[in-house]
C-alpha cells in the first residue's frame, strides 16, 4: 500500500509518499518527502503570521504535491493522509480542502491525521517499531506533550505544558535576545559559544498525583513561562547594570551565556520528565519527536541518559524532526490499518483532540 501524505498545519507546506514494506522492523519506506518552508515569508515579522501562512500554502501546495509524486517514481497511490489538526485554521484548511478534492478525483480513501500522531510516527519511520510500552515526548512550537504507548497507534497523555510549549519558549527567548526567527536553531547556534552555568535559571516541576488513584505515578506537566520570565528579568537587569542604551544590542558573550543556560535548563527539564516517566512505567523505549528534537544538545543528552538507564532512545532523523508529510503518511497508514478512513465531509479542526 502507498500513501500520499499532506501537511499544512503551520508554516511548512509538505507532501510525501510512503510505502508499506510489510517488514516487521521497518514497516514503512519513505519514497519521497518534499517540504517548502515559509521561514522567509515570516522572518521579517519575527514569527508566523497566520494569514500569510495560509496564502503561501495556497501558492505552494500544487507544486509540492506534484514534486513529491514525481520524486516517488510511482504511478499510483492507494490513499491520501492529511493533517486535520491541531494547527492554524487557515493553513489546515488549504491542506484538507486540497486532499479532499484529490481523494475525490482519484477515488482513493482520505485519512485524517492528528499532527502529533504524525510526530510520534516519525520515530518509527526512522528507527522501526518501538519496544513497548514506550514513553514519547513531543516537543514542538505548539506542544510539549508526554505520552505512554502500550499499543501501537493508541496514545495516553501523561502530561503536557500548562503554558508555553518548549519550542515557543525557544522562539520567545530568542526574540528577547535579539536573535532571528526561528528561535530554536538561533539559540542553539549562539549557545555553542556560551557558558551554560553562567545564569541561574529555575527548573519548574509540576507533578500531580491523582487522589483517586494514588498508586499510579500521576501527571507530569511542564511549564516554561517561569524560565522565560527569568530570562526577561535577567536581560533587563543586565542592560541597566552595563548602562546599555534602550535600542543597543546586548554584548554577544552575554547573549551566548544566556542562550546556553536557557538551553541547558530546558533540555534538563524535558529529559528529567521523560526518564522519570520511563522508570515509573517500566518503559521498553523512549522517544523524542517534534521540532525541538532537532536540538543537538537535547539529542546528545537523551542518548547519554538512555545508555545510563539501559533504555533505547528513539529520535527521528533531522529531516523528520521538524514538520514534514512523511510522518503524516505513516500515521495515516497506521490509522488506515485500524479502519479509520474519513468521509469527504471531514473538516479541519484547529483544536483537534488526539
Ligand atoms: O514541529 P515543528 O516543526 O512545528 C510545530 O509543530 O510546532 O516545531 C517547530 C519548533 C519551533 O519552535 C522551533 O524554534 C523549534 O521547533 N526548533 C528548535 C530547533 N529547531 C527547531 N528548538 C531548539 N533547537 C533546535 N535546533
Ligand atoms: Zn509539528
Amino acid at each position: 500500500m502507498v500513501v500520499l501524505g499532506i501537511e499544512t498545519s503551520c508554516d511548512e507546506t509538505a507532501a510525501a509518499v510512503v510505502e508499506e514494506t510489510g517488514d516487521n522492523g521497518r514497516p514503512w519506506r519513505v519514497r519521497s518527502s518534499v517540504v517548502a518552508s515559509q521561514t522567509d515569508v515570516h522572518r521579517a515579522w519575527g514569527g508566523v503570521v497566520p494569514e500569510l501562512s495560509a496564502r503561501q500554502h495556497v501558492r505552494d501546495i500544487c507544486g509540492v504535491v506534484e514534486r513529491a509524486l514525481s520524486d516517488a517514481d510511482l504511478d499510483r497511490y492507494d490513499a491520501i493522509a492529511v493533517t486535520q489538526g491541531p494547527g492554524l485554521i487557515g493553513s489546515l484548511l488549504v491542506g484538507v480542502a486540497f486532499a479532499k478534492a484529490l481523494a475525490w478525483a482519484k477515488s482513493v480513501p482520505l485519512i485524517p491525521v492528528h499532527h502529533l500522531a504524525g510526530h510520534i510516527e516519525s520515530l518509527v519511520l526512522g528507527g522501526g517499531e518501538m519496544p513497548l510500552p514506550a514513553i514519547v515526548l513531543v516537543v514542538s512550537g505548539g506542544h510539549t506533550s508526554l505520552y505512554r504507548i502500550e499499543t501501537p497507534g493508541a496514545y495516553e497523555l501523561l502530561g503536557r505544558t500548562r503554558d508555553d510549549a518548549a519550542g515557543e519558549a525557544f522562539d520567545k527567548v530568542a526574540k528577547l535576545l535579539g536573535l532571528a526567527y526561528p528561535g530554536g536553531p538561533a539559540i542553539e547556534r549562539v549557545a555553542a559559544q556560551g557558558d551554560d552555568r553562567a545564569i541561574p535559571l529555575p527548573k519548574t516541576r509540576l507533578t500531580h498525583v491523582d487522589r483517586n488513584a494514588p498508586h499510579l505515578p500521576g501527571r507530569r506537566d511542564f511549564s516554561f513561562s517561569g524560565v522565560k520570565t527569568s530570562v526577561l528579568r535577567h536581560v533587563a537587569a543586565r542592560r541597566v547594570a552595563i548602562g546599555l542604551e534602550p535600542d543597543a544590542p546586548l554584548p554577544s558573550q552575554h547573549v551566548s551565556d544566556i542562550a546556553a543556560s536557557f538551553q541547558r535548563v530546558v533540555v534538563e527539564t524535558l529529559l528529567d520528565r521523560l526518564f522519570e516517566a520511563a522508570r515509573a512505567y517500566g518503559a521498553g523505549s523512549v522517544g523524542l519527536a517534534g521540532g525541538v528534537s532537532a536540538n543537538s544538545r537535547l539529542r546528545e543528552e537523551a542518548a547519554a541518559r538512555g545508555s545510563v538507564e539501559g533504555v533505547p532512545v528513539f529520535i527521528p532523523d533531522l529531516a523528520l524532526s521538524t514538520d514534514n508529510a512523511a510522518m503524516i503518511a505513516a500515521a495515516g497508514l497506521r490509522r488506515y490499518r485500524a479502519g479509520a478512513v474519513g468521509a469527504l465531509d471531514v473538516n479541519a479542526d484547529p483544536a483537534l483532540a488526539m
Side-chain angles (χ1 to χ4, degrees), residues 12 115 119 139-142 167-168 170-171 182-185 188 290-292 294-296 321-323:
E12 248 78 69
H115 183 77
H119 275 301
V139 258
S140 69
E168 189 180 358
F170 266 96
D171 294 334
E188 178 173 349
V292 180
N295 185 275
S296 19
S321 291
T322 46
D323 287 348

Side-chain angles (χ1 to χ4, degrees), residues 276-301:
E276 255 170 51
R279 280 191 296 272
Y281 288 101
S285 61
V286 301
L288 271 168
V292 180
S293 73
N295 185 275
S296 19
R297 171 134 191 190
L298 182 62
R299 298 170 85 89
E300 283 157 19
E301 285 197 17

Side-chain angles (χ1 to χ4, degrees), residues 164 169 172-173 176 224-233 262:
D164 292 346
K172 288 178 176 169
V173 165
L176 214 134
F224 293 102
S225 66
V227 63
K228 181 191 66 187
T229 307
S230 296
V231 172
L232 180 73
R233 294 224 177 92
F262 167 78

